C-alpha cells in the first residue's frame, strides 16, 4: 500500500456541489498538507496541519476547508465547487523536522463542470 | 518572501544527451532546496535535496544538482538522459529554521526526450 493514499483519484462534478477529497497516511507523520497543481503554475499550498488541533491556511485557501480527523487523516472540502477549482490536488506529509521533505500522494484530479 | 523561478517551461533533448534544468530562488538566507519529479499520472517523487555541506548533491536515477550561493541557483543535471526521464520537474525551497514547515515550488519544467 502507498504511504499516502488519496481518494477519489478522479472526480467529475457540477458547479455548486459539495466535494470532499480524502487523504490518509501510514508514515506516522504529524504534518500534512493539501496542494493544488494547475498547468504552468506549479504547486500552491491550500491548507496545512501540524497536528490534529493545528490547522493553517496556505496561499489559496478561499473556497476550501479542511478537517484533520486523526493524525493519519486530512480531508479537503469544496463547499460549493466552481469551474476554476478544476485542478489536480495533492496531499503530502512530512516529518516534524524543519527540513520538510514531503511525501506526496498520487493526486486527485477534480473536474468541475 | 521566498520564491522559486524555473526559467524553462519546456525542454527537449535527445536520448543520451546531457541535461541541465535551471532553478533560481529568492530567499534571505540559505534555504533547504529540493528537486521533485512528476511522471505522467503520478505524484511527485523526491529526486534530491540540499540541506548543508557539499554543494554538489547526488540523487536518484543518476541526477545531481549543484547549489551556488552566489547565483542563488540550484540547477539539476544529468550526463546522459534516458527516455524514461521524460517528466515534469519541480524545484522547491523551504525556509531554514522556520516553524512554518512549508515548501515553495517553481512552476515546473516539462522534459521531452526524443529517441
Amino acid at each position: 500500500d502507498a504511504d499516502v493514499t488519496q481518494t477519489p483519484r478522479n472526480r467529475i462534478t457540477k458547479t455548486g456541489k459539495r466535494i470532499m477529497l480524502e487523504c490518509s497516511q501510514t508514515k506516522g507523520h504529524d504534518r500534512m498538507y493539501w496542494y493544488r497543481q494547475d498547468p504552468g503554475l506549479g504547486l500552491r499550498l491550500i491548507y496545512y496541519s501540524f497536528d490534529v488541533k493545528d490547522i493553517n491556511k496556505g496561499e489559496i485557501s478561499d473556497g476550501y476547508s479542511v478537517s484533520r480527523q486523526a493524525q493519519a487523516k486530512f480531508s479537503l472540502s469544496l463547499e460549493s465547487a466552481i469551474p476554476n477549482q478544476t485542478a489536480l490536488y495533492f496531499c503530502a506529509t512530512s516529518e516534524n523536522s524543519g527540513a520538510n521533505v514531503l511525501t506526496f500522494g498520487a493526486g486527485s484530479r477534480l473536474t468541475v463542470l | 518572501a521566498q520564491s522559486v523561478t524555473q526559467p524553462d517551461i519546456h525542454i527537449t533533448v535527445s536520448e543520451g544527451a546531457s541535461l541541465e534544468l535551471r532553478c533560481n530562488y529568492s530567499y534571505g538566507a540559505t534555504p533547504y532546496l529540493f528537486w521533485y519529479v512528476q511522471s505522467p499520472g503520478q505524484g511527485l517523487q523526491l529526486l534530491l535535496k540540499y540541506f548543508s555541506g557539499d554543494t554538489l548533491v547526488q540523487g536518484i536515477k543518476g541526477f545531481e544538482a549543484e547549489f551556488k550561493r552566489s547565483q542563488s541557483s540550484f540547477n539539476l543535471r544529468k550526463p546522459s538522459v534516458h527516455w524514461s526521464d521524460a517528466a515534469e520537474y519541480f524545484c522547491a525551497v523551504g525556509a531554514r529554521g522556520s516553524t512554518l514547515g512549508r515548501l515553495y515550488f517553481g512552476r515546473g519544467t516539462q522534459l521531452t526526450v526524443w529517441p
Side-chain angles (χ1 to χ4, degrees), chain A residues 33 37 40 50 59 100 102, chain B residues 36 38 99-102 107:
Chain A
Y33 308 80
Q37 183 183 24
F50 283 0
E59 56 190 303
N100 287 311
L102 297 180
Chain B
Y36 283 86
Q38 182 182 23
T99 58
L100 294 179
R102 58 160 298 180
R107 296 188 174 193

Side-chain angles (χ1 to χ4, degrees), chain A residues 56-81:
Chain A
N56 304 281
K57 292 182 178 181
E59 56 190 303
I60 56 163
S61 59
D62 288 349
Y64 302 95
S65 63
V66 291
S67 173
R68 185 80 184 266
Q69 301 94 326
Q71 185 208 36
K73 297 185 182 296
F74 191 38
S75 300
L76 176 71
S77 293
L78 288 68
E79 297 301 325
S80 180

Side-chain angles (χ1 to χ4, degrees), chain A residues 9-107:
Chain A
R9 291 292 313 279
N10 288 282
R11 181 72 183 269
I12 300 173
T13 191
K14 295 182 179 180
T15 297
K17 294 292 187 181
R18 184 178 187 274
I19 294 297
M20 178 180 285
L21 305 180
E22 298 184 330
C23 177
S24 62
Q25 54 114 344
T26 59
K27 299 285 288 184
H29 292 164
D30 286 331
R31 296 181 175 186
M32 298 188 72
Y33 308 80
W34 276 103
Y35 280 89
R36 168 177 171 162
Q37 183 183 24
D38 297 277
L41 296 181
L43 278 77
R44 294 178 293 167
L45 184 64
I46 307 172
Y47 271 95
Y48 60 104
S49 170
F50 283 0
D51 64 42
V52 175
K53 297 180 180 180
D54 178 76
I55 303 289
N56 304 281
K57 292 182 178 181
E59 56 190 303
I60 56 163
S61 59
D62 288 349
Y64 302 95
S65 63
V66 291
S67 173
R68 185 80 184 266
Q69 301 94 326
Q71 185 208 36
K73 297 185 182 296
F74 191 38
S75 300
L76 176 71
S77 293
L78 288 68
E79 297 301 325
S80 180
I82 57 176
N84 78 359
Q85 291 177 313
T86 294
L88 183 58
Y89 292 85
F90 285 105
C91 177
T93 73
S94 72
E95 296 179 357
N96 291 355
S97 68
N100 287 311
V101 179
L102 297 180
T103 299
F104 284 88

Side-chain angles (χ1 to χ4, degrees), chain B residues 17-73:
Chain B
S18 63
L19 172 70
E20 183 171 31
L21 302 183
R22 296 182 291 166
C23 173
N24 294 95
Y25 66 89
S26 173
Y27 182 59
T30 301
Y32 297 121
L33 296 161
F34 306 82
W35 275 99
Y36 283 86
V37 60
Q38 182 182 23
S39 298
Q42 303 295 316
L44 280 75
Q45 180 184 20
L46 180 68
L47 276 178
L48 48 76
K49 59 186 183 290
Y50 172 77
F51 290 167
S52 64
D54 193 344
T55 56
L56 183 63
V57 294
Q58 303 296 319
I60 62 172
K61 304 183 180 185
F63 285 92
E64 66 178 25
E66 185 172 13
F67 167 57
K68 293 186 176 181
R69 185 192 310 271
S70 61
Q71 299 177 18
S72 296
S73 69

